[in-house]
Amino acid sequence: MRRPLLLNGPAGAGKSEVARLVAARTGARFVELNEGGGEGPGAHPTQSDRSQTAASVRLEALLDDGEPVVVSLGADSLLSRGRRLRALDSAVVVALRAPVGELLQRRRGLLPGVELDPGVLESELELRAGAYAEAHATVDTGAGTVEEAADQVAEIWRRNAVAVAAAGRSYAVEIGNGVAPRRIQQLLGAASKIVLVSDENVFGLHGGSMERALGGCGTGVCRIVLPPGEEHKSLASLERILVQALGAGADRSSVVVGFGGGVVTDVAGFAAATWMRGVRWVAVPTTLLAMVDASVGGKTAVDLLTAKNAVGAFWQPDAVVCDVAYLRTEPPRGYRSALAEVVKTALIGDPDLLELVETSAEAAAQGDLAVAEEMVRRSIRVKARVVSQDEREGGLRACLNLGHTLGHALESQGGYTQLSHGEAVSLGLVLALRLGERLGVTPAAITSRVTRLLARLGLPTETTPAALLDAAKLIGHDKKRSGSGLRFVLVENVGAVCTRRMELSELEAQVRVLAAG
Ligand SMILES: NC(=O)c1ccc[n+]([C@@H]2O[C@H](COP(=O)([O-])OP(=O)(O)OC[C@H]3O[C@@H](n4cnc5c(N)ncnc54)[C@H](O)[C@@H]3O)[C@@H](O)[C@H]2O)c1
Ligand SMILES: [Zn+2]
């Protein structure tokens, strides 16, 4: 499904020209919102406040409407971060860039006789660099022809990726079926060395096609295949990756590729964060959990003894490629467990996703790849929206913890062997909904609707009172606890959650009531 395409960037970067070409090639309607005839600030101040407001209103209407139009934006159209995030969520945004000399030359051509100061232009670009970087992709119009730039832009539009906005560290998450090897080859063509991290299961099944694709990059590949399992998300694995990277002559421009489940993407990302104080990395998640959760958001880590994710860093990937074809071989229990995170995500921010899972629950549970692709795309979109607003977990990101406070307690009560993480989250979700009902926040109809859905997906929805009472005692160990309380995430409606600070003693008392039925 196509979304509108917005071309962003400074005056003189070629937005109108490229947009017209892309529109002509794809048969889409072309819309000019760049009222000054291709000009922006620093060139000439012709764009009045009134015309800027009119352009903003038109942009809002285009985003609401969703028709796949090609829009040439004004240089300032997306300077407000709120509007930019809205555009990134509802459209595909491509930033055009050209060297300063080129921009000056083009602006002089458009404004004969007007004196343009390169210093002013440079500072204008510097000020706006972070805003322009928040895009699905950036295309250089300085080097090749307009036709070549239009080809690239059309291809980016076709990919319909999800953007994660993090200023200069922004990136796109691409989702498709059978797309990974070719796409990785395109993405890594210019790397000096590729450090490929995988695990034995994934590499045994899918390593051949990935290595053939990487081989086609013409750069050296240093391959580290870890034994599978959470116990290998360790400092020992990190050291092994770094030592092998050193031995292989990896340098600052090397790129780490994490090719596997959440264990591999977490440790590979952390290796990238620490190698030479940080190099680029690309995530190729191969489990549903890694696609919808672990590979998006830039949290990387290893475990330390029994402390999960105790040592880590926020380090955004350069790109994420989610190829649902890998899900065909994922062990069914892990796949099904991750569906609990999909339901969680729908409750946080996407009523349509909940409906999709409801109408296709059996197909979703059985691993239908078309359904999986849509679930992955929509889940990532919600997570990207949250992460873009709160990269470092200042507040909003806490809502992603829905179902996890009691879920973690149950997971830990079962010694991390009885319940998978997702199964525990399924139970935690039902409990959070029931608790929300008790507190007068959650409508009862949502609890029964979600409970029914989780059961249809083959996930547990009931635990024994004894297990719950035991788990209640473990709530105090929650990592997200602060002082004697924590922020508990409650569901107000499908797509609307809120947090409420609760004392541990109060929460434990509530859980005891829930255990009593
Ligand atoms: N960084 C984050 O934001 C974040 C978010 C959620 C979870 N995580 C982390 O993710 C980890 C769990 O991830 P996971 O559930 O993917 O577990 P995992 O990486 O251990 O993979 C589960 C098992 O499936 C195998 N496997 C993976 N892909 C396969 C495929 N396509 N075909 C066949 N076998 C395959 C693996 O070898 C492993 O045995 C945890 O360590 C958790 O902390 C991180
Ligand atoms: Zn989780």
Side-chain angles (χ1 to χ4, degrees), residues 405-419 424 427 463-475 477:
T405 305
L406 298 176
H408 277 143
L410 284 164
E411 199 180 356
S412 146
Q413 188 273 333
Y416 292 94
T417 50
Q418 289 180 18
L419 291 171
L427 293 168
T463 183
T464 63
L468 198 48
L469 288 173
D470 272 357
K473 297 180 198 132
L474 297 170
I475 294 169
H477 299 271

Side-chain angles (χ1 to χ4, degrees), residues 136-467:
H136 287 78
T138 300
V139 167
D140 223 312
T141 55
T145 61
V146 174
E147 283 75 16
E148 283 164 348
D151 282 344
Q152 287 180 53
V153 171
E155 173 58 20
I156 293 160
W157 194 19
R158 196 194 54 73
R159 273 189 224 124
N160 195 22
V162 177
V164 180
R169 299 172 313 283
S170 303
Y171 54 98
V173 182
E174 291 170 26
I175 300 120
N177 185 351
V179 295
R182 191 170 152 263
R183 189 63 194 127
I184 289 300
Q185 191 176 41
Q186 291 170 340
L187 282 166
L188 299 182
S192 67
K193 165 111 25 214
I194 294 159
V195 179
L196 175 67
V197 182
S198 190
D199 77 13
E200 286 161 6
N201 293 337
V202 173
F203 199 78
L205 287 161
H206 306 289
S209 58
M210 184 56 76
E211 283 221 310
R212 273 193 300 282
L214 292 177
C217 292
T219 43
V221 179
C222 161
R223 175 218 297 170
I224 300 114
V225 181
L226 302 169
E230 182 75 29
E231 64 273 29
H232 297 287
K233 200 172 118 175
S234 61
L235 286 171
S237 295
L238 174 71
E239 185 176 10
R240 186 174 152 196
I241 296 167
L242 298 179
V243 167
Q244 274 192 241
L246 181 71
D251 60 17
R252 253 172 220 300
S253 41
S254 301
V255 181
V256 177
V257 178
F259 179 41
V263 163
V264 166
T265 52
D266 272 13
V267 69
F270 190 43
T274 49
W275 175 248
M276 302 263 167
R277 297 199 183 87
V279 294
R280 296 194 295 141
W281 77 289
V282 174
V284 188
T286 59
T287 63
L288 185 59
L289 181 69
M291 291 184 195
V292 298
D293 201 351
S295 62
V296 180
K299 280 194 189 178
T300 69
V302 295
D303 304 333
L304 188 64
L305 302 174
T306 56
K308 267 202 66 138
N309 301 321
V311 186
F314 283 99
W315 192 247
Q316 301 292 348
D318 252 53
V320 180
V321 181
C322 292
D323 188 338
V324 293
Y326 294 130
L327 299 179
R328 214 175 270 139
T329 58
E330 181 185 0
R333 188 176 174 191
Y335 173 86
R336 212 169 35 243
S337 297
L339 292 173
E341 304 278 3
V342 174
V343 173
K344 173 201 85 167
T345 309
L347 284 172
I348 291 171
D350 188 350
D352 291 346
L353 174 57
L354 196 71
E355 273 182 30
L356 169 80
V357 184
E358 281 177 323
T359 47
S360 329
E362 283 66 35
Q366 281 158 22
D368 180 296
L369 292 188
V371 175
E373 188 175 333
E374 190 58 16
M375 286 191 306
V376 168
R377 187 182 304 281
R378 286 193 162 273
S379 300
I380 289 175
R381 190 174 162 201
V382 173
K383 186 158 183 196
R385 213 186 287 153
V386 173
V387 169
S388 296
Q389 288 177 63
D390 181 19
E391 194 192 339
R392 297 270 168 148
E393 210 157 272
L396 183 69
R397 203 163 164 166
C399 73
L400 296 173
N401 215 29
L402 173 64
H404 280 61
T405 305
L406 298 176
H408 277 143
L410 284 164
E411 199 180 356
S412 146
Q413 188 273 333
Y416 292 94
T417 50
Q418 289 180 18
L419 291 171
S420 71
H421 174 70
E423 289 161 354
V425 168
S426 174
L427 293 168
L429 279 176
V430 174
L431 290 166
L433 291 165
R434 288 178 54 204
L435 180 55
E437 259 186 66
R438 280 186 52 76
L439 297 172
V441 175
T442 309
I446 295 184
T447 311
S448 47
R449 181 178 168 193
V450 173
T451 308
R452 245 191 337 266
L453 177 59
L454 291 166
R456 283 175 68 202
L457 294 170
L459 289 160
T461 55
E462 269 180 57
T463 183
T464 63

